[in-house]
Amino acid sequence: MRDHPFDSVIAERLLRQADACLITTMENKGRGLRMGPGKIIDTGVHMAFLDTKVYFALCGRSTGARTCTTCSKSR
């Protein structure tokens, strides 16, 4: 979170909430629910996207898969 003005406590909370948001979204994919993160949590979600290794690990942990079906490329 070096590009944003958050202290380490807020950054950690933000990333935990971003993980929760991503997992909830992945678990409810295809259900037609309209959900998304708030503005501040969205910052954490984008940080997770930019850290591809973390995002792929999160996908695997959430779905039990070796690939990330929400990404254009799987590793």
Side-chain angles (χ1 to χ4, degrees), residues 6 9 13 15-16 28 33-34 36-38 42 47 49 52 56 64 66 68 75:
F6 302 121
V9 173
R13 288 180 182 175
L15 290 174
R16 272 192 264 142
N28 290 287
L33 302 174
R34 296 178 56 96
D42 191 50
M47 295 278 78
F49 287 153
T52 306
F56 278 120
R66 290 181 166 219
C68 185
R75 293 185 184 192

Side-chain angles (χ1 to χ4, degrees), residues 27-48:
E27 289 176 346
N28 290 287
K29 185 176 179 181
R31 289 186 169 179
L33 302 174
R34 296 178 56 96
M35 57 182 155
K39 187 175 181 179
I40 294 174
I41 302 302
D42 191 50
T43 301
V45 170
H46 282 92
M47 295 278 78

Side-chain angles (χ1 to χ4, degrees), residues 12 24 31 34 39 49 53-54 56 58 60 69-70 75:
E12 185 177 333
T24 301
R31 289 186 169 179
R34 296 178 56 96
K39 187 175 181 179
F49 287 153
K53 288 181 182 181
V54 170
F56 278 120
L58 183 63
T69 58
T70 58
R75 293 185 184 192

